[in-house]
Amino acid sequence: MGITKQYLRYVPLKNFNIVCHPDCNIVFVTLNGISDRYVAVGACENVIIWDLRLEKLVMTIEDEDTKNNTSKKISVVKLATTPEGKNLAVGYSDGLVNTFNLVTGELIGTFQGHRSAISALTYDTHGHMLASGSKDTEAVIWDVIAEKGLHRLSGHKGVVTEVKFINKHNLVVTSSKDTYIKFWDLTTGHCFKTLAGHITEVWTLSILRDDDFVVAGSNDAELRTWKISKMNEEESEIKMSELLSSDNLLDFASSIKCEKSGSLMREGPGRVVSSATDSTNHVLCVHGHGKLLELFIFSGDGEALERLRNRQRKFRKKASKRGENDEDIAFLNEKNPALQDVVRRLPPILTDYKIKSADLVVTQTHVKVVVSMADNTLAFYSVSLAVGKEVKLIRKISLHGHRSNVRVLAFSSDNLAIFTGGSESVKMWNKKSLNCIRTVETSSPVQCLCVVPGDRHILAGLEDGKLLVIDIAAGDIIESISAHLKDLKSIYMLPDELGCVTGGGDSTVKLWQLELVILENSDRKVLSLLHLKTLKLDENVQCSRVSPDNKLLAVALLDNTVKIFFMDTFKHFIDLYGHTLPVNDLDISYDSSIIITASADKTIRIWGLDYGDCHRRLTTESTLTSIKFIPKTHQFFTTDKNGNVKHWDADVFERVLTLQGHRGECHNMSVSGNGYYIASCGQDNVIRLYEKTEEPLVLEDEREEERTQEDEKELATGEETNVYGGPSVLALPTKKTISSEKAAELLLECLNVIKEYKDSILENENKGVDKPSLPIIMTAFNVKTTDDYLLEIIKRIRSSELEEVLLLMPFSSVCYFMESLIPLLNHMHHGIEPVVRSLIFLIQTLHKPISSVKDMMPILRQLNVLATKKTNEFRDLVGENLHSLMFINNSQEEEELVFNITQNVQKKRKRQKQKLLKTVIVNI
């Protein structure tokens, strides 16, 4: 067997260019005790936190599993924070929900219960429960502390658009595209009331003013409002005749009364896109597809009653002037404020671009609103709570990203800077800090970039055919040259670094020479381009390259061919035929021996540059968009419309590695001059930076890893779990995943090892032989007994997946597992909670088949006694520890209070002494 060829692995390094992603909402978070300064936004698979005061990125929260997985392309689509703003819940496009600690950035819990993207996410008032809604038409209630699912709310027939807690009544309210709003009881998890007040989809749902009002938005300009109150006992007692004659039986069974209060009319056109409330639920902001953000404040009962009385007083004055009798008018006898008395409009906010999301924080005098817009910018506004005040724009974050998709990238020659071109500007980024250093606005979308030697100037080709010479230090356009009649597709610097070659959509390739020109009315010299030659062709030019030995010019045309010319005379040399669709990009190796072409026909062709023969044809699964050689090697990278960035070897004609790519199309890619860094841009508006590591990569091992990932995808057979002896489908809050099946296999292996080891011990005792040695796997887990081994495996199971793991076990293993829990319950340990939880769940789910086994009855009685005893002991221990910590905390607070008082007294006495000394000096 020959020596295996090894490569060095490229890994994702950082992402940048995203200020705020349009597919994700935006929320205020609390850092360093400040709640109105920091804001969290989604950035593809990461969450980034901006400092609105300094316009600076302060934190990036990323999941390591998502970062290292090359086959999984998920993005953050929903964010929610706890009321104190210290924990952050993140919903992903694959239905996963993660919770993070904002102080440390660490992952707290993982919840998997949805089959499609998360569409709604919210915490309750205390931050102990989390509700998630998804496009799979279901909502799930999670216990954040215990890290387990509580209820799966199934009843909607459309996408769940919003989920809200009503903590006063222990309820959850959900809205959906099926036009219904449903009320759910958190104790039982059942729907007891449905509001059918909408004709079309319900897009937003908000709970206002101490859980008293429900405000919902639909496809029209009307925000329908309901008032919620608790049902009195007298109202709940109805006669049988009324019950039989009633059309709405659900209202009689509900514990709350929900009455239509009226509607709030929006000024903006179109449907409601999103809404948000502050932490006190007194201010509501709503926006549609336009640029207008509207604010409503819900006043307290006292202020609303005063408004009602003012309206009645004005009405009486007008009636008395007209000489009308106002005694019989029902309005004047009203004692309960109407919706117009409760709600007051604040000045609306008009933004520069379409609004995608908004969030707000209320202070004593102002409402601070942060808005994310579709052009990748954040705007921070302040609105006074007083009547008649205007809106003030405090800050705008826009320089840290392009307004639209990035189409082209380039590294500087020293690899310290990255240049990017979008539809509106060219930006220069610091590669280390990823901060935007320069921004140059352009009149047309940038199609190609080229860095002039010396890293002081850039050449940019525009869609209108102009060639820009940009001074990096000044951030200005020195010269704009009308190089081509149509779009300028490619710029390539000559190997001698004295000129460049451009190719355009006007079927020409032009040769340019760099020169210094003295400006008029000054002695300053600036860079310019002198046109030398023009090569006219029959078809539009897709891209062009010059061989490193400066002898040949390769041009890809729209007729699917690549024509090669001599560089000195522009005479035709050879044609490369074979592609069935146009070549989107090509590159030539450092030794001028190989040319590689990437085509829209999903193939890569490797050609010899001496005779034009095709060495190999490599097939991919998607249309290729760009291709680049790694300097000084025959290895190259490609990008395609599936978002993949792939590493290939042109010597062995094999794919080496697939890097984590983009969601959607990957537009372009650039390789640094030393080959250590790669940057790619795509349709998801993010620029990804990859780094070459010292980790060796073997092709056989990489293929084995890919096969393992493919097998894991097929591992979770079906989305539901069958229950032995019970219903065919059990509606658990969680769903069966790959990790739960792996955990079930690990638990089954543990039970088998324990059983075999105990059988071998009995066999050796009967034979009078010494006790057998511990199994190797128990030694690997660093345990001495079988009980410790089982407890270690139970602890390793993720808390949110424990129920799914137990349901995946066969019934025979369940019986043995329950028998093995007896010795675990005989000893006090910190793993008592998952042990008792496993026991209770198995008995609840499999009560009939377990109770039908005669041998299990004594075991069940013993487990009942032990579980009750140990649970009480553990509860007492936790309570004692809790109150001890509270006592210590109170003692420390008292000591700090006494210390502060003492310090203040001493400072006061010192000031009095200094005052007396001054008085004495004056008297003398």
Coordinates of all heavy atoms in Angstrom, one line a residue, residues 639-680:
T639 N -17.0 27.4 -5.7 CA -18.3 27.7 -5.0 C -19.4 27.5 -6.0 O -19.2 27.5 -7.2 CB -18.3 29.2 -4.6 OG1 -18.2 30.0 -5.8 CG2 -17.2 29.5 -3.6
D640 N -20.6 27.2 -5.5 CA -21.7 26.9 -6.3 C -23.0 27.5 -5.8 O -23.0 28.2 -4.8 CB -21.9 25.3 -6.5 CG -22.1 24.6 -5.1 OD1 -22.7 25.2 -4.3 OD2 -21.5 23.5 -5.0
K641 N -24.1 27.3 -6.5 CA -25.4 27.9 -6.2 C -26.1 27.2 -5.0 O -27.1 27.7 -4.6 CB -26.3 27.9 -7.4 CG -25.8 29.0 -8.5 CD -26.9 29.2 -9.5 CE -26.4 30.3 -10.4 NZ -27.5 30.7 -11.4
N642 N -25.5 26.1 -4.6 CA -26.1 25.4 -3.4 C -25.4 26.0 -2.1 O -25.8 25.6 -1.0 CB -25.8 23.9 -3.4 CG -26.9 23.2 -4.2 OD1 -27.9 23.8 -4.6 ND2 -26.6 21.9 -4.4
G643 N -24.5 27.0 -2.3 CA -23.9 27.6 -1.2 C -22.6 26.9 -0.7 O -22.0 27.3 0.3
N644 N -22.2 25.9 -1.4 CA -21.0 25.1 -0.9 C -19.7 25.7 -1.3 O -19.6 26.3 -2.4 CB -21.1 23.7 -1.5 CG -22.3 22.9 -1.0 OD1 -22.7 22.9 0.1 ND2 -22.9 22.2 -2.0
V645 N -18.7 25.6 -0.4 CA -17.3 26.0 -0.7 C -16.5 24.7 -0.6 O -16.4 24.1 0.4 CB -16.8 27.0 0.2 CG1 -15.3 27.4 -0.1 CG2 -17.7 28.3 0.2
K646 N -15.9 24.2 -1.8 CA -15.3 22.9 -1.8 C -13.8 23.0 -2.2 O -13.4 23.9 -3.0 CB -16.0 22.0 -2.8 CG -17.4 21.7 -2.5 CD -18.1 20.7 -3.4 CE -19.5 20.4 -3.0 NZ -20.1 19.4 -4.0
H647 N -13.1 22.1 -1.6 CA -11.6 22.1 -1.8 C -11.3 20.8 -2.6 O -11.8 19.7 -2.3 CB -10.9 21.9 -0.4 CG -9.5 21.9 -0.4 ND1 -8.7 21.6 0.7 CD2 -8.6 22.2 -1.4 CE1 -7.4 21.6 0.3 NE2 -7.3 22.0 -0.9
W648 N -10.5 21.1 -3.7 CA -10.2 20.0 -4.7 C -8.7 19.9 -4.9 O -8.0 20.8 -4.6 CB -10.9 20.3 -6.1 CG -12.4 20.5 -6.0 CD1 -13.0 21.6 -5.7 CD2 -13.4 19.5 -6.4 NE1 -14.4 21.4 -5.7 CE2 -14.7 20.2 -6.2 CE3 -13.4 18.2 -6.8 CZ2 -15.9 19.6 -6.4 CZ3 -14.6 17.6 -7.1 CH2 -15.8 18.3 -6.9
D649 N -8.3 18.7 -5.4 CA -6.9 18.5 -5.8 C -6.9 18.2 -7.3 O -7.5 17.2 -7.7 CB -6.3 17.4 -5.0 CG -4.8 17.3 -5.2 OD1 -4.3 17.9 -6.2 OD2 -4.1 16.7 -4.4
A650 N -6.2 19.0 -8.1 CA -6.2 18.8 -9.6 C -5.2 17.7 -10.0 O -5.2 17.3 -11.2 CB -5.8 20.1 -10.3
D651 N -4.3 17.2 -9.1 CA -3.4 16.2 -9.4 C -4.0 14.8 -9.3 O -3.8 13.9 -10.1 CB -2.2 16.3 -8.5 CG -1.3 17.5 -8.8 OD1 -1.3 18.0 -9.9 OD2 -0.7 18.0 -7.8
V652 N -4.8 14.6 -8.3 CA -5.5 13.3 -8.1 C -6.9 13.3 -8.5 O -7.6 12.3 -8.4 CB -5.4 12.8 -6.6 CG1 -3.9 12.7 -6.2 CG2 -6.0 13.8 -5.7
F653 N -7.4 14.5 -8.9 CA -8.8 14.7 -9.4 C -9.8 14.2 -8.4 O -10.8 13.6 -8.7 CB -9.0 13.9 -10.7 CG -7.9 14.1 -11.7 CD1 -7.1 13.0 -12.2 CD2 -7.7 15.4 -12.3 CE1 -6.1 13.2 -13.1 CE2 -6.6 15.6 -13.2 CZ -5.9 14.5 -13.6
E654 N -9.7 14.7 -7.2 CA -10.6 14.3 -6.1 C -11.0 15.5 -5.3 O -10.2 16.5 -5.2 CB -10.0 13.3 -5.2 CG -10.0 11.9 -5.8 CD -9.7 10.8 -4.7 OE1 -10.3 11.0 -3.6 OE2 -8.9 9.9 -5.0
R655 N -12.2 15.4 -4.7 CA -12.6 16.5 -3.7 C -12.0 16.2 -2.4 O -12.0 15.1 -1.9 CB -14.1 16.5 -3.6 CG -14.7 17.5 -2.6 CD -16.2 17.5 -2.7 NE -16.8 16.2 -2.5 CZ -17.0 15.7 -1.3 NH1 -16.7 16.4 -0.2 NH2 -17.5 14.5 -1.2
V656 N -11.4 17.2 -1.8 CA -10.7 17.0 -0.5 C -11.7 17.3 0.7 O -11.8 16.5 1.6 CB -9.5 17.9 -0.4 CG1 -8.8 17.8 0.9 CG2 -8.5 17.7 -1.6
L657 N -12.4 18.4 0.6 CA -13.1 18.8 1.7 C -14.3 19.7 1.3 O -14.2 20.5 0.3 CB -12.2 19.6 2.7 CG -12.8 20.2 4.0 CD1 -13.2 19.1 4.9 CD2 -11.8 21.1 4.7
T658 N -15.4 19.7 2.0 CA -16.5 20.6 1.8 C -16.6 21.4 3.1 O -16.9 20.9 4.2 CB -17.8 19.8 1.6 OG1 -17.7 19.0 0.4 CG2 -19.0 20.8 1.4
L659 N -16.5 22.8 2.9 CA -16.6 23.7 4.0 C -18.0 24.1 4.3 O -18.9 24.0 3.4 CB -15.7 24.9 3.8 CG -14.2 24.7 3.7 CD1 -13.5 25.9 3.2 CD2 -13.6 24.2 5.0
Q660 N -18.2 24.6 5.5 CA -19.6 25.2 5.8 C -19.9 26.3 4.9 O -19.2 27.3 4.9 CB -19.6 25.6 7.2 CG -21.0 26.0 7.7 CD -21.0 26.6 9.1 OE1 -20.0 27.1 9.5 NE2 -22.1 26.5 9.7
G661 N -20.9 26.2 4.1 CA -21.2 27.2 3.1 C -22.3 28.2 3.5 O -22.6 28.4 4.7
H662 N -23.0 28.7 2.5 CA -24.0 29.7 2.6 C -25.4 29.1 2.5 O -25.6 28.1 1.8 CB -23.8 30.8 1.6 CG -22.5 31.6 1.7 ND1 -22.3 32.8 2.3 CD2 -21.2 31.2 1.3 CE1 -21.1 33.1 2.3 NE2 -20.4 32.2 1.7
R663 N -26.3 29.8 3.1 CA -27.7 29.5 2.8 C -28.1 30.2 1.5 O -28.1 31.4 1.4 CB -28.6 30.0 3.9 CG -28.7 29.0 5.1 CD -29.6 29.5 6.2 NE -31.0 29.6 5.7 CZ -31.9 28.6 5.7 NH1 -31.5 27.4 6.2 NH2 -33.1 28.8 5.3
G664 N -28.5 29.4 0.5 CA -28.7 30.0 -0.8 C -27.5 30.0 -1.7 O -26.5 29.2 -1.4
E665 N -27.4 30.9 -2.6 CA -26.3 30.9 -3.6 C -25.1 31.5 -3.0 O -25.1 32.4 -2.3 CB -26.8 31.6 -4.9 CG -25.8 31.7 -6.0 CD -26.2 32.5 -7.1 OE1 -27.5 32.7 -7.2 OE2 -25.4 32.9 -8.0
C666 N -23.9 30.9 -3.4 CA -22.6 31.5 -3.1 C -22.1 32.2 -4.3 O -21.9 31.6 -5.4 CB -21.6 30.4 -2.6 SG -20.0 31.0 -2.1
H667 N -21.9 33.5 -4.2 CA -21.6 34.3 -5.4 C -20.2 34.3 -5.8 O -19.9 34.1 -7.0 CB -22.0 35.8 -5.1 CG -23.5 36.0 -4.9 ND1 -24.4 35.4 -5.6 CD2 -24.1 36.7 -3.9 CE1 -25.6 35.8 -5.2 NE2 -25.5 36.6 -4.2
N668 N -19.3 34.4 -4.9 CA -17.9 34.5 -5.3 C -17.0 34.1 -4.1 O -17.5 33.9 -3.0 CB -17.6 36.0 -5.7 CG -16.5 36.0 -6.8 OD1 -15.5 35.3 -6.7 ND2 -16.7 36.9 -7.7
M669 N -15.7 34.0 -4.4 CA -14.7 33.6 -3.4 C -13.3 34.1 -3.8 O -13.1 34.3 -5.0 CB -14.8 32.0 -3.4 CG -13.6 31.3 -2.7 SD -12.4 30.7 -3.8 CE -13.4 29.7 -4.9
S670 N -12.5 34.3 -2.8 CA -11.1 34.8 -3.0 C -10.2 34.1 -2.1 O -10.5 33.7 -1.0 CB -11.1 36.3 -2.8 OG -9.8 36.8 -3.0
V671 N -9.0 33.8 -2.6 CA -7.9 33.1 -1.9 C -6.8 34.1 -1.6 O -6.4 34.8 -2.5 CB -7.4 31.9 -2.6 CG1 -6.4 31.1 -1.8 CG2 -8.6 30.9 -3.0
S672 N -6.3 34.1 -0.4 CA -5.2 35.0 0.0 C -3.9 34.7 -0.8 O -3.8 33.5 -1.2 CB -5.0 35.1 1.5 OG -4.6 33.8 1.9
G673 N -3.0 35.6 -0.8 CA -1.8 35.4 -1.6 C -0.9 34.3 -1.0 O -0.2 33.6 -1.7
N674 N -1.0 34.1 0.4 CA -0.2 33.0 1.0 C -1.0 31.7 1.1 O -0.4 30.7 1.5 CB 0.3 33.4 2.3 CG -0.8 33.8 3.3 OD1 -2.0 33.7 2.9 ND2 -0.5 34.4 4.4
G675 N -2.2 31.7 0.7 CA -3.1 30.5 0.7 C -3.6 30.1 2.0 O -4.2 29.0 2.2
Y676 N -3.4 30.9 3.0 CA -3.9 30.6 4.4 C -5.3 31.0 4.7 O -5.9 30.5 5.7 CB -2.9 31.2 5.4 CG -1.6 30.4 5.6 CD1 -0.5 30.6 4.8 CD2 -1.5 29.4 6.6 CE1 0.6 29.8 4.9 CE2 -0.4 28.7 6.8 CZ 0.7 28.9 5.9 OH 1.8 28.1 6.1
Y677 N -5.8 31.9 3.9 CA -7.2 32.4 4.2 C -8.0 32.3 2.9 O -7.5 32.5 1.8 CB -7.2 33.8 4.7 CG -6.4 33.9 6.0 CD1 -5.1 34.3 6.0 CD2 -7.0 33.7 7.2 CE1 -4.4 34.5 7.2 CE2 -6.4 33.8 8.4 CZ -5.0 34.2 8.4 OH -4.4 34.3 9.6
I678 N -9.3 32.1 3.1 CA -10.3 32.1 2.0 C -11.5 32.9 2.5 O -12.0 32.7 3.6 CB -10.8 30.7 1.6 CG1 -9.6 29.9 1.1 CG2 -11.8 30.7 0.6 CD1 -9.7 28.4 1.3
A679 N -12.0 33.7 1.6 CA -13.2 34.5 1.9 C -14.3 34.2 0.9 O -14.0 34.1 -0.3 CB -12.9 36.0 2.0
S680 N -15.5 34.0 1.3 CA -16.6 33.8 0.3 C -17.8 34.7 0.7 O -18.0 35.0 1.8 CB -17.0 32.3 0.4 OG -17.6 32.0 1.6

